[in-house]
Amino acid sequence: WKFHNVKVRQDTHHLDHDIEQCSKDSRHHRCCGRIDVRQAWHRDKAGKRHLGPPKNGEEREVPLPPRLVQDLTTLWGTIAEEDYLFVGTKGGPLNGDFFRKKWFGPAAKKHGLTGATVHMLRHTCASLLIRIGTPITTVSAILGHSGVEITLKTYAHFYVEDSFAAMTKLSDHIDSYTE
């Protein structure tokens, strides 16, 4: 999914992504949200963009952190219901190539991130989720992988440090019974 394809219309035939507020419960202090990915932009052989089914042809839900829900809700208050949330210079849906060249590339360069790509943000998200102890099944679901095998194949190297930490905990546990 790509945020630059968000269309705000509630009509399911025109809806690319829809953000819904999750209900609050005792485990969450702030409200999260989600995007329902129902369509995605594709390029045909001639290079023309068109809407079609998402990758693998399956709709999916992508959870959003509370901060992003806040920011998107604020943005939605500034546009008409039938407008795209992120638009190009002519008011149509923002072209991913244009976004990368005009905004992302220069911003990354300004912050010394040479060679950075938008896709790296996805890897960063996954890496941080793993680092904070998110179960691999949850990381896999957030990324939209068809199975945890794909996630593990891509991110297994992040678990090396966890292995050392686990062995230290095991050693400490054993020592507590033998001292």
Side-chain angles (χ1 to χ4, degrees):
W1 54 270
K2 298 175 181 168
F3 273 87
H4 58 265
N5 296 336
V6 175
K7 186 130 178 167
V8 188
R9 293 175 71 168
Q10 298 302 313
D11 176 341
T12 57
H13 296 289
H14 300 284
L15 185 64
D16 298 327
H17 307 297
D18 181 23
I19 293 188
E20 297 180 17
Q21 298 280 338
C22 296
S23 60
K24 292 184 181 179
D25 64 29
S26 59
R27 295 173 298 159
H28 299 22
H29 298 289
R30 295 181 292 167
C31 193
C32 60
R34 75 169 191 244
I35 289 182
D36 294 322
V37 180
R38 298 181 182 151
Q39 294 181 311
W41 288 103
H42 302 277
R43 287 196 187 273
D44 60 23
K45 291 180 182 178
K48 185 175 177 171
R49 294 185 323 143
H50 59 91
L51 281 172
K55 187 177 177 181
N56 299 326
E58 295 183 21
E59 295 180 7
R60 68 186 193 94
E61 294 178 359
V62 179
L64 299 175
R67 170 67 186 264
L68 185 55
V69 171
Q70 262 183 326
D71 292 345
L72 291 174
T73 301
T74 300
L75 281 174
W76 268 333
T78 66
I79 63 172
E81 186 176 311
E82 67 277 359
D83 291 341
Y84 283 96
L85 184 57
F86 301 103
V87 297
T89 55
K90 297 177 183 174
L94 182 61
N95 179 297
D97 295 332
F98 177 79
F99 170 77
R100 284 186 289 280
K101 290 175 188 166
K102 177 75 174 173
W103 301 104
F104 185 82
K109 185 176 179 181
K110 178 181 175 183
H111 294 284
L113 302 172
T114 56
T117 65
V118 174
H119 196 73
M120 286 178 176
L121 299 176
R122 176 181 168 86
H123 290 298
T124 301
C125 175
S127 304
L128 292 173
L129 288 169
I130 290 166
R131 186 56 40 224
I132 63 173
T134 307
I136 193 66
T137 51
T138 302
V139 175
S140 184
I142 290 170
L143 295 175
H145 289 162
S146 58
V148 293
E149 302 80 18
I150 296 169
T151 313
L152 284 169
K153 182 178 178 183
T154 307
Y155 298 101
H157 60 283
F158 287 106
Y159 289 96
V160 173
E161 288 181 33
D162 293 340
S163 300
F164 294 124
M167 295 311 290
T168 300
K169 283 182 183 179
L170 177 61
S171 181
D172 291 346
H173 180 72
I174 292 170
D175 288 347
S176 72
Y177 287 100
T178 59
E179 293 179 349

